[in-house]
Amino acid sequence: MPANELIQTVYEQVLKRNPGEPEFHQAVREVLDCLGPVLDKNPDYVKAGILERLVEPERQLIFRIPWQDDKGNFRVNRGFRIEFNSALGPYKGGIRFHPSVYIGIIKFLGFEQILKNSLTGLMMGGGKGGADFDPKGKSDNEVMRFCQSFITELCRHIGPDTDIPAGDIGVGGREIGYMFGQYKRIRNEFTGVLTGKGLEWGGSLARTEATGYGLVYITEEALKANGKSIDGMTVSISGSGNVAIYATEKAQQLGGKVITLSDSNGFIYDPDGVNLDTVKQLKEVERKRIKQYVAIHKNAKYTEGCSGIWGVKCDIALPCATQNELDEDAAKILVKNGCIIVGEGANMPCTPEAVEVFLNNNVVFLPGKAANAGGVAVSGLEMAQNSQRIAWTFEKAEAELKNIMTTIYKNSSEAAEEYGRAGNLVAGANIAGFIKVANAMLAQGLV
Ligand code: NDP
Ligand code: 2IT
């Protein structure tokens, strides 16, 4: 069967097997659309059914999470873990707690994770998990009881050589701590089963910063290839969680001026450049809304609703909140305002139409699976440190992260060029990530 026909057939099978899961369809479509030239060059992939197997998760877990709130009410949420692909190593990927979570979100994230983890060059397969639990407004004790119930079920399926979860939206150091404690108690094992742990009990220095820092490193690398630098540029960032905060920190360290941040209620614009100490205090310590920022910084302006954020003029746009937050209209405004580079800190924040606009207007576009791979990369380094029972310095972990991000940029650029899509890093990242996974699947036989 010719490559294009096979791709269409595989995509139709995905639609049929996974109805009502548009985010998963979107993620698969983007990858498949890049693979025609790879299949033409490697007929063995076609013969061995690599595509058909790649889009079907190895294992999908759905489970009940019963827990009790502070008033004594019994509550029930739904939990998920998709163990998508283990060709390159144990399943690895974050856990998301957000009311919008359903199987289609976890599948899209798990699918992205396969190729992202491949790009890091470390030995990690792809997986993702989560629950439709809303951590907003919950007390620490409620979050703890929820995490304990979640891991009481999940602990049967994970392990340091099997499946290693980490954080994502709504899951940070606090939640990882509660999950780790419960896992340890049930299994009577102190192992590196989760990453993003506290620094005193097995976490890696630089993991907290890794996704945001990595995003800025790869952005700087891409700018350098075009004879430019972040120094002196205006940067617009969305979100105000883990990724957004540390992208802001590194962009500021490199001389960029970050002028926006947001949460799901609205965004702030600070013409003086955002004050990160204030943001960290509000978001990491007090768990408040970004709106509070303007009560402290009088020159800054808060706008209710998120869509206007991309209307703020900037040189660099780094969407770091959530999927499909930047659409075609927003992309056109960014282009009109002279934006020269877009780096996806979040997973799939730009719609396919927005990506088209960037690619057609010579805006450098860094897709999430390359641009935000720094987080899982340092998770991989945390696993390595745990296996050796040692702890690296911040400098060593950060240097490795920088090296990995530079290599991802280089490998993605070269793959794009080799397969006739020079300058298209969506194609380059998908192809470079895919080839390693496909070769491993070929070598491991029909599994
Ligand atoms: P956090 O929970 O720390 O922060 C998420 C931020 O995004 C918050 O500001 C949140 O606002 C905002 N947000 C969440 N959902 C929506 C929504 N539906 N609409 C608008 N804003 C929203 O998560 P992270 O910073 O860890 O994750 C951000 C993105 O980065 C996600 O796409 C995640 O998958 C991706 N990512 C994370 C990595 C990591 O290491 N943490 C690694 C690689 C990618 P609010 O508080 O109002 O919900
Ligand atoms: O999307 C991602 O890469 C993450 N949320 C981080 C996963 C991890 O295992 O560190």
Side-chain angles (χ1 to χ4, degrees):
M1 195 189 287
N4 284 344
E5 226 173 278
L6 172 67
I7 284 169
Q8 192 53 28
T9 308
V10 170
Y11 184 63
E12 277 161 20
Q13 181 70 259
V14 167
L15 295 180
K16 201 167 143 205
R17 279 217 179 110
N18 308 275
E21 299 175 10
E23 298 85 0
F24 180 47
H25 305 160
Q26 183 182 333
V28 169
R29 179 87 251 178
E30 183 211 278
V31 171
L32 291 181
D33 281 347
C34 298
L35 295 181
V38 183
L39 300 179
D40 286 338
K41 248 195 195 173
N42 300 279
D44 283 354
Y45 296 162
V46 177
K47 237 191 295 172
I50 298 292
L51 283 197
E52 291 90 327
R53 288 192 272 151
L54 188 73
V55 298
E56 184 65 19
E58 290 178 16
R59 193 172 297 109
Q60 309 185 41
L61 308 161
I62 304 182
F63 50 95
R64 181 171 66 191
I65 312 163
W67 60 283
Q68 202 171 12
D69 68 23
D70 287 344
K71 295 198 179 97
N73 299 312
F74 294 146
R75 309 276 288 261
V76 175
N77 284 90
R78 181 171 282 187
F80 305 90
R81 185 77 184 164
I82 304 273
E83 298 182 331
F84 220 120
N85 189 296
S86 61
L88 295 181
Y91 310 107
K92 179 83 193 89
I95 303 257
R96 176 177 292 191
F97 290 165
H98 194 271
S100 64
V101 164
Y102 76 108
I103 187 97
I105 294 275
I106 302 301
K107 255 186 231 168
F108 119 64
L109 291 165
F111 184 72
E112 287 281 293
Q113 203 81 46
I114 305 169
L115 302 187
K116 183 194 303 190
N117 294 2
S118 167
L119 285 170
T120 66
L122 302 171
M123 288 175 58
M124 299 183 289
K128 200 82 186 192
D132 58 357
F133 172 75
D134 187 356
K136 282 202 196 80
K138 303 288 190 299
S139 69
D140 276 357
N141 276 330
E142 287 175 324
V143 170
M144 180 178 74
R145 287 193 293 274
F146 180 80
C147 288
Q148 289 177 338
S149 183
F150 181 83
I151 216 71
T152 298
E153 172 61 33
L154 195 63
C155 78
R156 307 164 206 268
H157 310 288
I158 60 177
D161 297 313
T162 308
D163 183 354
I164 306 93
D168 194 80
I169 290 178
V171 177
R174 175 181 62 170
E175 291 74 18
I176 295 292
Y178 295 147
M179 290 194 245
F180 183 82
Q182 183 76 346
Y183 181 89
K184 180 166 64 71
R185 188 175 186 202
I186 296 174
R187 301 282 291 254
N188 195 25
E189 278 174 13
F190 193 113
T191 61
V193 63
L194 292 148
T195 58
K197 299 183 289 299
L199 298 178
E200 304 83 359
W201 42 278
S204 176
L205 282 161
R207 175 61 188 89
T208 303
E209 296 83 357
T211 312
Y213 277 24
L215 170 66
V216 174
Y217 287 142
I218 199 168
T219 303
E220 181 73 345
E221 198 62 28
L223 284 168
K224 206 168 79 186
N226 290 279
K228 298 186 170 119
S229 153
I230 289 178
D231 195 13
M233 293 218 182
T234 305
V235 188
S236 187
I237 297 182
S238 65
S240 51
N242 173 266
V243 181
I245 286 175
Y246 292 96
T248 302
E249 186 164 285
K250 185 51 73 179
Q252 291 179 341
Q253 283 172 12
L254 297 185
K257 183 174 177 188
V258 178
I259 50 167
T260 67
L261 285 174
S262 67
D263 59 26
S264 53
N265 293 108
F267 71 93
I268 56 154
Y269 164 61
D270 189 338
D272 301 333
V274 301
N275 182 310
L276 198 56
D277 290 338
T278 305
V279 176
K280 283 186 178 176
Q281 178 65 24
L282 285 174
K283 301 305 280 192
E284 293 186 331
V285 182
E286 297 173 19
R287 297 182 190 273
K288 286 198 175 140
R289 308 307 297 158
I290 199 69
K291 186 180 181 175
Q292 310 290 324
Y293 180 94
V294 298
I296 301 162
H297 298 281
K298 301 292 181 198
N299 275 346
K301 192 175 146 228
Y302 174 76
T303 306
E304 196 70 25
C306 298
S307 57
I309 190 170
W310 307 116
V312 177
K313 185 172 161 51
C314 64
D315 303 308
I316 301 172
L318 303 177
C320 296
T322 195
Q323 62 276 352
N324 293 326
E325 56 164 306
L326 196 166
D327 64 11
E328 184 177 8
D329 290 342
K332 284 182 180 158
I333 297 172
L334 282 168
V335 169
K336 192 172 109 246
N337 284 341
C339 175
I340 57 168
I341 183 165
V342 176
E344 292 190 316
N347 283 305
M348 210 168 75
C350 300
T351 65
E353 297 77 20
V355 175
E356 269 311 297
V357 171
F358 296 137
L359 295 177
N360 291 337
N361 286 279
N362 291 323
V363 173
V364 178
F365 178 73
L366 299 163
K369 63 172 71 69
N372 69 40
V376 75
V378 177
S379 278
L381 302 179
E382 182 169 324
M383 290 161 64
Q385 293 167 72
N386 292 164
S387 298
Q388 285 185 280
R389 306 218 185 292
I390 57 167
W392 294 355
T393 61
F394 189 92
E395 289 68 28
K396 182 169 162 73
E398 196 188 18
E400 282 291 326
L401 166 65
K402 200 169 179 183
N403 186 23
I404 289 171
M405 297 314 295
T406 308
T407 306
I408 290 176
Y409 180 73
K410 182 170 173 283
N411 290 349
S412 302
S413 305
E414 286 176 1
E417 189 143 340
E418 188 184 339
Y419 286 89
R421 308 284 292 275
N424 182 336
L425 293 163
V426 176
N430 284 331
I431 292 169
F434 171 79
I435 287 175
K436 271 183 63 187
V437 177
N439 287 342
M441 288 173 74
L442 265 189
Q444 291 169 21
L446 185 55
V447 289

